[in-house]
Amino acid sequence: MATFFGEVLSVCSRAVEEEDEDFVENEEDEEIRRELEKKREVNLLWNPETSQSLASGNKLQCSDFFLAVGHNAASFLSAYVLSSSNWDAVGRASVWNERSRAVAGQSSEESACVFYRHKDIPSVLICRVTCYIAEDQLFQWTEKVFDCVQHRGLNVTVLSDSSVADYKTENYLSSSSAPFLRSLHTAAFSDQPVCQSLEQPNIVTGLPAAVLNHCQVHCIAAVVYQCYSDVIGPDSVTMETYMPVLTKLGKVMQLDQPPTTDVFRKFVRTTDIQSNLYI
């Protein structure tokens, strides 16, 4: 570029500097993005025996996989099934996101996503999930878990908590109607569900939807039992809504007697309830 006095000025130096600055910023953003993606990876941590078997190319020989998503569903399995001493914690899933924080050195019993295996019937696997799994983590959680499990002859049962506010119906839904159970299953599921099917336009979301979709694609028999409740936290009445599923569990394993109220108290946290009456 020439000035009025005929002096020739270089115009490329400033442009190159700006491009270099943008390039450096893009590299930094890319590095931050890679670190964040790595941190948000779902990691499966198995016990030494299971890890050695999986490392050898073997898969978990599983005939029935029971997955509980939510505090009430997880507490139901804990009270009715896992309360006996016939189960071993064989692994856990470590998840980090905006609502869940994976803690380094955390044991399987303390984790919010734990896998249990029956001592006498090792083909029965149970997973309790009480942590939040973000949308971008659903696919990898499902892929990694089912990649460890053999698919032939596999039956998957999912228990899921949901708010009654998410339930859509043409008719008026009174408060006495909740909690209630609805089901949704894959085409490969041939058994009779223990409750009526989920009506349209209601849908299943989150981890239960990801699992159901995976099972549909891979022709695995799977059913989701979704409990709609008007109680946010753990609640004994909501837990008992899953009782019809015990007929399915009873066919697979020997269950103990139904738990007493004292057993339920271990899983229900009572908080201070403030009255909404005017004083």
Side-chain angles (χ1 to χ4, degrees), residues 202-266:
N202 294 287
I203 59 174
V204 174
T205 60
L207 185 59
V211 170
L212 196 65
N213 181 71
H214 180 91
C215 293
Q216 177 68 22
V217 172
H218 292 84
C219 300
I220 300 174
V223 59
V224 172
Y225 292 112
Q226 188 149 285
C227 178
Y228 290 92
S229 176
D230 54 353
V231 178
I232 300 177
D235 172 63
S236 60
V237 177
T238 302
M239 294 179 200
E240 291 177 352
T241 307
Y242 292 108
M243 281 292 292
V245 184
L246 282 181
T247 57
K248 169 65 176 177
L249 294 171
K251 296 178 182 178
V252 177
M253 67 197 81
Q254 185 69 30
L255 296 177
D256 295 335
Q257 295 296 324
T260 61
T261 305
D262 294 335
V263 175
F264 269 128
R265 288 175 181 172
K266 297 180 181 180

Side-chain angles (χ1 to χ4, degrees), residues 138-139 141-149 151 154 156 186 207-220 222:
L138 294 174
F139 178 79
W141 190 99
T142 306
E143 288 291 318
K144 288 185 176 182
V145 170
F146 279 89
D147 188 54
C148 298
V149 180
H151 289 180
L154 176 63
V156 179
T186 62
L207 185 59
V211 170
L212 196 65
N213 181 71
H214 180 91
C215 293
Q216 177 68 22
V217 172
H218 292 84
C219 300
I220 300 174

